[in-house]
Amino acid sequence: MQTALKRLKAAADLSPELIKLEEDQQSKDLWVIFSHVDVPVGKFAQTRVFERLDGNKLFLNCRHNAWYTNGIDGFSSDIGDTIYRLKELVQPYNTCFVGHSMGAYLSLLCGNIIPNTRFIATSPELHLHLPGSRADRNGVNIDSKWASVATLSEEFHNHPNGQIYMGTYDPIDAYFTSRKEMISNMGDVYEVPHHHGVTEYFTSAGIYLDILIGKKEVLNSLLARRFLLPPNALGPIDAYEHFYKTFLLLSEDISREDVLNSISSFEDWLHPGWQEVRAKLYRKISDRLSSLKSAETAYFQQPNLEQFIGTYATSCADNRDYLRFKRLQHSIPPNLQRHRIVDRLAEIETKFPNKQEIINSFPLQNFPNTADVLNNLEPPRKPLNIDAILEAKRHMEWQTILELVPTNYEFRRSNSDHNVAVALLRALLAVGETGAIFRHSVNFFFLFPNSERIAANVLTAAIQLNSNILISVFLNFRFPHKTMNKLCGRLLKQLPNVSDHLLAADCTLFFLTNAEPANKQRVFLHQTLLKKGMMRSVCQVIIEKRLTRSIPNKNVLAFVRLFLASGYRNSAISWLHNNAEYFDHSAKSQAMAIISRGMLKSSSTSPPLALDS
């Protein structure tokens, strides 16, 4: 082993800018990590991840994003020479080749050509001359022998010991996944519900070390929990191929008719990557409303990915739909609060010419059915048993909970009842699985729009995820007055976190038409709107809306005091006349008396006007 280690050191000394060795003299394991694109010379990919793993580590990089076609300066001259030199170096070790994208291509080749090794390849491009591929966009010039894995099968030892992970929301990755003749007999292939940045997904989910170690039982567990999927799990193969071909149209100058013909196929396929491509093509032909619908579909299927957040925000700006944009902006999941997407949204917000001009392009509650995109899988893996869900929640067994979670499609097919839905949502809230919480919250609203218990858990999710979108979903639930007070109290406590004045108006209207609040709650509402500087804008929205149900007498007076505190005396009178059918005559008389006396003085229920004028 000492001789082998000396050879590794000598290799690293040949080109320290492109080769880095970290020794572990007590270990027989060797990790060879190939860098991906845009890693500067002198830097190496995945160094932080591998600090947590034992073994010798050999980090490699290449210049000019060349896919290692020119070899590694001082070490090798091309891809073939690189593989030959590594074959000599790694023989005494238990070797695993690791790489992402550009690095994944070489790790896959090394793992299939060098015997008695294994490999981990995330999002490799299997044909470097494929139009639209990242290698193609980087202008990679490569010998035809090494351009495609399909031509290298004779070089492979046919005993692959490795895994290939493809980001299924990326059109290039999706295309390669669909080409079974290209990926067969090269290792185990998995789809990942993410875009091209698969290692980022694995790292953020806390499973990358498990992936690298590669134990079969761990991989089976990840499959059961839907962190991994079998190839083409999200739709038919021709849909994947069409996804890629339609993606190419984004960079081509073609007619509106050709665009519409392409995106009309598989239009109901609820695959977020595909729907995002449709949104961009609709935008290309200036069909802004259709672009917004497709962008919203993509976002609702996968609300945790910055690419879908960004596309949705851009479509909101194109449609001047400031309402949607603000609810999106205030629904960024906790794991992205410090991500660059926050700055991007701030930049997009500057594109709204008049933030007071709101065009609500289509009602949020009419959003297309939120069936999970895994709609062609078999019915539930396990029976939806409420006792099993509750038991897993009781012991906080998050892995078991995620294994029990069905897709939305599976839930509908299994005809599961309301109690199972409640237990499932509570269990997801316990383990904090953001994407599943979001999708199931919206889906259960459509299935159980009159359920107080589902509404209570959707509100909990909205508060836990700080999601204005889920608050707007909660406001659409309908159930009897007597069950409202507690929920409205919780909604009121969330009001200080609502920065969208339209949503604040909806919350205020919901609160005062559905609850019978205590005096201190009305004061809290009043003071919150004053502190946030939204009193006048909220009252203006409320005045323009008509009531749809009867409200308690005390709340009539609360409405009037809000209007008076905003200076809307005449509007308050009009509002009383227009909505008289929804409250007692005595309440109207009391309200008119307040108006006529000009009761604007400070009291425990009515803060002074001067604070908001």
Side-chain angles (χ1 to χ4, degrees):
M1 294 299 294
Q2 290 299 319
T3 302
L5 189 58
K6 287 180 181 179
R7 289 204 302 266
L8 286 176
K9 288 181 181 178
D13 291 340
L14 292 174
S15 183
E17 287 188 328
L18 299 173
I19 305 175
K20 176 183 177 182
L21 174 65
E22 293 182 359
E23 302 175 36
D24 184 351
Q25 296 186 9
Q26 306 304 314
S27 177
K28 294 183 179 180
D29 295 331
L30 172 64
W31 302 92
V32 180
I33 305 99
F34 299 101
S35 292
H36 49 74
V37 298
D38 295 333
V39 176
V41 170
K43 302 288 185 179
F44 302 90
Q46 305 194 44
T47 51
R48 285 188 179 181
V49 172
F50 279 87
E51 287 176 356
R52 300 165 62 189
L53 287 173
D54 295 329
N56 299 282
K57 298 135 191 178
L58 186 65
F59 298 94
L60 303 173
N61 199 356
C62 70
R63 298 183 187 274
H64 312 305
N65 294 338
W67 259 254
Y68 299 89
T69 55
N70 301 320
I72 300 169
D73 292 0
F75 177 72
S76 60
S77 57
D78 56 25
I79 286 181
D81 191 29
T82 301
I83 295 173
Y84 175 77
R85 294 293 306 277
L86 287 172
K87 184 177 181 179
E88 290 184 325
L89 289 173
V90 306
Q91 284 180 351
Y93 293 98
N94 301 317
T95 302
C96 180
F97 298 99
V98 179
H100 170 67
S101 192
M102 178 179 78
Y105 184 72
L106 195 49
S107 69
L108 186 153
L109 292 182
C110 288
N112 275 280
I113 292 175
I114 301 175
N116 303 315
T117 62
R118 69 184 185 94
F119 69 93
I120 305 292
T122 57
S123 297
E125 294 194 339
L126 307 181
H127 182 15
L128 303 189
H129 290 162
L130 182 74
S133 68
R134 288 165 178 81
D136 179 60
R137 282 178 265 165
N138 276 278
V140 172
N141 184 17
I142 187 170
D143 186 292
S144 58
K145 174 183 177 180
W146 300 103
S148 173
V149 297
T151 63
L152 294 169
S153 57
E154 292 184 2
E155 303 275 346
F156 292 173
H157 54 67
N158 294 322
H159 296 288
N161 182 21
Q163 292 81 40
I164 302 168
Y165 300 96
M166 292 293 196
T168 189
Y169 300 157
D170 179 83
I172 306 300
D173 284 21
Y175 173 77
F176 287 132
T177 306
S178 71
R179 304 307 299 267
K180 293 191 175 181
E181 77 283 359
M182 190 178 287
I183 59 177
S184 61
N185 301 318
M186 288 194 304
D188 300 325
V189 181
Y190 300 95
E191 278 189 17
V192 179
H194 201 68
H195 54 56
H196 187 69
V198 169
T199 52
E200 175 190 0
Y201 168 78
F202 287 156
T203 302
S204 63
I207 61 174
Y208 193 33
L209 293 182
D210 292 331
I211 293 289
L212 291 171
I213 294 169
K215 291 183 179 179
K216 197 69 178 177
E217 60 271 22
V218 173
L219 296 178
N220 289 337
S221 174
L222 293 175
L223 275 169
R225 290 150 54 196
R226 302 300 172 89
F227 283 112
L228 304 177
L229 303 167
N232 306 121
L234 305 187
I237 288 178
D238 53 346
Y240 282 65
E241 294 179 348
H242 189 72
F243 174 26
Y244 161 69
K245 292 175 182 177
T246 305
F247 158 76
L248 294 179
L249 301 183
L250 288 170
S251 58
E252 297 178 8
D253 185 15
I254 63 172
S255 68
R256 177 185 179 90
E257 182 180 359
D258 288 339
V259 169
L260 291 174
N261 285 338
S262 184
I263 58 183
S264 62
S265 300
F266 304 104
E267 63 179 324
D268 295 327
W269 186 29
L270 296 179
H271 180 293
W274 162 243
Q275 290 295 335
E276 184 196 30
V277 166
R278 295 182 78 238
K280 290 180 176 179
L281 282 169
Y282 273 126
R283 186 171 190 249
K284 183 175 181 177
I285 61 174
S286 300
D287 187 344
R288 294 176 178 176
L289 184 59
S290 296
S291 175
L292 179 57
K293 288 182 177 180
S294 292
E296 190 165 83
T297 302
Y299 169 74
F300 267 66
Q301 292 301 326
Q302 187 51 270
N304 290 328
L305 289 188
E306 70 280 359
Q307 71 182 83
F308 302 135
I309 295 172
T311 301
Y312 186 23
T314 299
S315 293
C316 290
D318 289 343
N319 284 270
R320 292 183 296 148
D321 196 331
Y322 197 53
L323 168 64
R324 265 184 171 74
F325 175 81
K326 291 304 292 183
R327 291 186 183 175
L328 169 66
Q329 190 177 44
H330 294 288
S331 297
I332 300 298
N335 62 306
L336 293 179
Q337 292 291 337
R338 296 185 178 181
H339 194 277
R340 59 182 177 274
I341 189 62
V342 175
D343 295 331
R344 184 180 172 194
L345 292 191
E347 180 183 346
I348 291 173
E349 186 172 15
T350 64
K351 298 179 181 179
F352 285 90
N354 182 356
K355 294 180 176 56
Q356 299 306 315
E357 181 182 7
I358 307 296
I359 300 178
N360 190 13
S361 304
F362 51 92
L364 190 66
Q365 61 266 31
N366 289 345
F367 173 76
N369 195 317
T370 55
D372 197 296
V373 293
L374 305 174
N375 58 7
N376 66 328
L377 297 180
E378 293 300 314
R381 301 167 297 287
K382 297 182 180 181
L384 291 179
N385 184 295
I386 189 170
D387 293 332
I389 295 173
L390 293 176
E391 183 67 16
K393 176 180 176 291
R394 189 175 298 116
H395 297 288
M396 289 300 293
E397 296 172 347
W398 65 273
Q399 179 175 331
T400 304
I401 290 172
L402 292 179
E403 288 178 0
L404 289 168
V405 172
T407 66
N408 291 339
Y409 176 75
E410 289 176 336
F411 188 91
R412 290 196 310 280
R413 285 184 62 180
S414 65
N415 296 316
S416 292
D417 65 18
H418 170 259
N419 291 330
V420 173
V422 172
L424 185 58
L425 201 48
R426 287 178 177 171
L428 288 171
L429 286 165
V431 300
E433 217 302 300
T434 306
I437 292 170
F438 188 97
R439 288 190 294 275
H440 281 286
S441 294
V442 177
N443 187 53
F444 290 163
F445 161 68
F446 286 102
L447 293 175
F448 309 105
N450 301 312
S451 167
E452 177 198 0
R453 295 168 68 202
I454 294 292
N457 284 282
V458 169
L459 180 58
T460 299
I463 294 170
Q464 183 170 312
L465 303 180
N466 194 29
S467 172
N468 283 3
I469 289 178
L470 289 184
I471 288 178
S472 66
V473 171
F474 167 78
L475 296 178
N476 282 284
F477 279 92
R478 291 292 178 265
F479 38 87
H481 266 310
K482 63 181 181 180
T483 62
M484 284 287 195
N485 276 349
K486 186 176 181 180
L487 288 179
C488 285
R490 293 177 59 205
L491 175 66
L492 186 62
K493 291 179 181 179
Q494 184 66 8
L495 190 60
N497 298 321
V498 174
S499 300
D500 167 7
H501 78 274
L502 289 173
L503 184 59
D506 287 342
C507 290
T508 302
L509 195 60
F510 185 92
F511 178 70
L512 290 178
T513 56
N514 290 288
E516 297 183 11
N519 214 32
K520 63 180 181 180
Q521 289 179 313
R522 288 194 292 270
V523 173
F524 178 81
L525 169 65
H526 207 136
Q527 292 177 338
T528 299
L529 294 178
L530 285 172
K531 287 177 181 177
K532 296 183 71 66
M534 293 196 298
M535 179 71 85
R536 288 183 64 85
S537 57
V538 164
C539 287
Q540 185 177 359
V541 173
I542 293 174
I543 287 169
E544 293 172 355
K545 293 189 175 186
R546 287 193 58 124
L547 297 178
T548 58
R549 63 194 303 174
S550 299
I551 62 173
N553 289 351
K554 289 183 179 180
N555 290 1
V556 176
L557 304 184
F559 272 122
V560 169
R561 287 194 172 97
L562 286 178
F563 300 152
L564 292 176
S566 301
Y568 290 123
R569 179 179 179 277
N570 293 332
S571 296
I573 297 172
S574 299
W575 182 86
L576 285 170
H577 288 309
N578 292 337
N579 295 284
E581 61 188 289
Y582 294 109
F583 40 79
D584 294 344
H585 179 73
S586 61
K588 182 178 178 181
S589 298
Q590 292 178 56
M592 290 300 295
I594 291 173
I595 294 172
S596 64
R597 291 197 305 267
M599 185 179 278
L600 298 176
K601 62 184 178 181
S602 177
S603 71
S604 61
T605 59
S606 181
L609 173 63
L611 288 175
D612 195 45
S613 56

